[in-house]
Each structure stands twice: as C-alpha cells, then as structure tokens.
C-alpha cells in the first residue's frame, strides 16, 4: 500500500503560529514563530507543510509578510500547501505569487462557481478545493454565504476537472475527537481526485485508520492540534503513515 502523505499544519494569526478548536476564534492558543515551527517539521522529515493564514480566512486582515517569509525559506526543501481566505481573483493571485506548490481555494469560493471552475481550468493541480463539512452539508468557516450538499459540490467540481480536495469535518477540527472516516471514505468513493483528510486526528491509530483509506483515494492527512498538544511526535506519525 502506498504511504499516506502527512502535512503538518502551521496556522498563522497576528504573526504567530496558533491552533483553534473546531475553528472557533475564542479557542486560540499560540505556539511561537511560524517559521521556527515549520523548520522543526521539516527537520523531522515532513515533506509537505499545510500553511494557513487564519486572519485572511476569517476576513480580519492577513499575515502575508509571515507567509512569504516561510515559503521563501522553506519551499526549496519541502512542498507547501497554502490556505486561508483564497476566495476571489485578488486573493488567488496573491497566493499564487507567494510561490507555494499548491493553493487551497476556501469553501466560500463555492459561492462563485463560474469563477472557481475557470480557476481550476487555468491552474490545474496548483489549485485544490477545500470542503468544510458538517454532516453532509457544506459549512465554511468565516462565512454563511455557502451551503448545500458536499456530494453535489464534488460532482460539479469533478466535472470541472478539480485535481484534489481537502475535506474537513468542522466538528472534529482541532477537537482531537477522531477523524470522520465515513465522510472521508464517502467523498473518496465519489471522486477520482485524491482526497486530503483534515480534522480530528488524536492518536497514531487515527493515522493508521486513515492510511487504510489510501486504496480508495485518500492521499494525505493534515496534522494539527495533536502535534502541538504532544499526543504523538511527528517522527512516530511519519513512521505509521509510511507503514512501519
């Protein structure tokens, strides 16, 4: 079985690395300089980094100076997936210009399907689509402008040629309550595009369980709060993801 790709996350707010519980701003804990955190992940063997501008995601400013500093130093030694507030032409062009390997269109971009489909057609696998989900309903954080069924969205985006999805169960994100394996499997079975899991990972067993879905199209998993809380080390997580 191929390995599960792990993407340790660095979420940036007010210039600092932070973590949220269930995406709620009042649950924020801080973890220092984002570049220092990202360097540590790289040095421990991470090949990918999930870098998030939380302030841009919640439309309360941005951290582009910090984002540029992280990408500028580390993009030569690890691949970076950039996320946070990428929902229109201005934010997309700014994100692409930073130089990350991939940029993640926010779920709120689904409110403009014609634009989103044109972006997918133009930029191919440099663009992935984030799907924030509660149950089977789209539930983007930071906006109430998008709703609808996640599987209907996947069908439409597949027809447009979407290269990859980041699927987040918003009720598990940052809660360390276990990943929503049923949701991940259902989305992976619905599409031929790879799926990246996000939310809920609390134990090494959770990583092993997601790895069992590699065969149906779950390509990777984003690691967040469990790493920062010391539930396991990135070294051990990578070993499990690699099948050791």
């Amino acid at each position: 079985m191929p390995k599960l790709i792990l993407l340790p996350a660095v979420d940036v707010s007010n210039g600092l690395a932070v973590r949220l519980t269930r995406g709620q701003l009042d649950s924020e804990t801080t973890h220092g300089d984002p570049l220092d955190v990202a360097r540590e992940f790289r040095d421990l063997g991470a090949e990918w980094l999930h870098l998030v501008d939380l302030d841009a995601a919640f439309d309360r400013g941005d951290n582009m100076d910090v984002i540029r500093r992280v990408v500028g130093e580390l993009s030569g030694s690890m691949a970076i997936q950039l996320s946070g507030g990428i929902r229109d032409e201005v934010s997309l062009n700014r994100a692409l210009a930073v130089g990350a390997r991939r940029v993640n269109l926010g779920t709120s971009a689904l409110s403009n399907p014609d634009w989103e489909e044109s972006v997918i057609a133009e930029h191919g696998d440099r663009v992935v689509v984030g799907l924030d989900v509660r149950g089977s309903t789209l539930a983007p954080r930071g906006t109430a402008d998008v709703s609808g069924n996640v599987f209907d969205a996947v069908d439409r985006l597949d027809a447009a040629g979407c290269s990859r999805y980041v699927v987040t169960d918003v009720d598990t994100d940052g809660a360390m309550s276990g990943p929503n394996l049923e949701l991940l499997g259902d989305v992976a079975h619905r599409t031929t595009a790879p799926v990246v899991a996000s939310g809920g990972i609390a134990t090494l067993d959770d990583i092993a369980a997601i790895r069992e879905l590699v065969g149906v199209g779950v390509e990777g998993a984003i690691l967040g709060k469990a790493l920062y809380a010391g539930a396991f080390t990135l070294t051990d997580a990578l070993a499990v993801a690699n099948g050791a």
Side-chain angles (χ1 to χ4, degrees):
M1 180 187 298
K3 71 178 182 180
L4 178 73
I5 299 169
L6 296 184
L7 301 87
V10 175
D11 294 359
V12 185
S13 177
N14 198 28
L16 297 173
V18 305
R19 292 306 303 167
L20 305 182
T21 300
R22 295 188 173 94
Q24 300 301 309
L25 292 174
D26 59 3
S27 67
E28 186 174 289
T29 58
T30 60
H31 298 276
D33 185 335
L35 182 54
D36 289 342
V37 177
R39 284 175 180 144
E40 182 176 1
F41 289 152
R42 177 201 59 190
D43 293 345
L44 289 171
E47 297 176 356
W48 277 90
L49 180 73
H50 184 67
L51 182 61
V52 184
D53 188 336
L54 276 181
D55 292 328
F58 285 97
D59 200 21
R60 58 178 193 182
D62 65 64
N63 296 274
M64 288 307 296
D65 288 345
V66 175
I67 299 296
R68 290 188 187 97
R69 186 160 55 96
V70 174
V71 176
E73 176 169 326
L74 298 183
S75 61
S77 54
M78 67 192 311
I80 297 174
Q81 178 173 277
L82 179 60
S83 184
I86 304 171
R87 58 176 68 93
D88 55 28
E89 196 71 17
V90 172
S91 54
L92 172 68
N93 289 336
R94 183 173 58 181
L96 289 169
V98 169
R101 179 77 61 83
R102 297 197 301 240
V103 299
N104 182 21
L105 295 184
T107 305
S108 59
L110 291 168
S111 65
N112 190 348
D114 290 341
W115 174 77
E116 189 173 47
E117 291 168 16
S118 71
V119 167
I120 290 168
E122 180 176 357
H123 297 288
D125 64 5
R126 282 204 71 193
V127 168
V128 303
V129 174
L131 298 172
D132 294 341
V133 185
R134 177 174 287 115
S136 60
T137 301
L138 295 168
R141 290 161 289 185
T143 180
D145 293 340
V146 177
S147 62
N149 181 274
V150 62
F151 302 108
D152 291 341
V154 168
D155 289 346
R156 177 180 64 78
L157 291 163
D158 269 7
C162 182
S163 68
R164 185 172 277 100
Y165 300 98
V166 175
V167 178
T168 304
D169 180 334
V170 298
D171 287 330
T172 69
D173 190 32
M176 294 179 62
S177 57
N180 188 334
L181 299 173
E182 181 178 5
L183 172 66
L184 294 170
D186 287 347
V187 174
H189 278 106
R190 190 80 172 206
T191 178
T192 58
V195 171
V196 177
S198 175
I201 293 175
T203 68
L204 295 175
D205 286 343
D206 290 336
I207 296 172
I210 295 174
R211 186 172 181 267
E212 290 297 317
L213 297 175
V214 167
V216 298
V218 178
E219 171 190 76
I222 294 169
L223 298 180
K225 191 168 185 177
L227 284 179
Y228 292 87
F232 48 76
T233 67
L234 180 57
T235 300
D236 287 344
L238 288 167
V240 172
N242 290 334

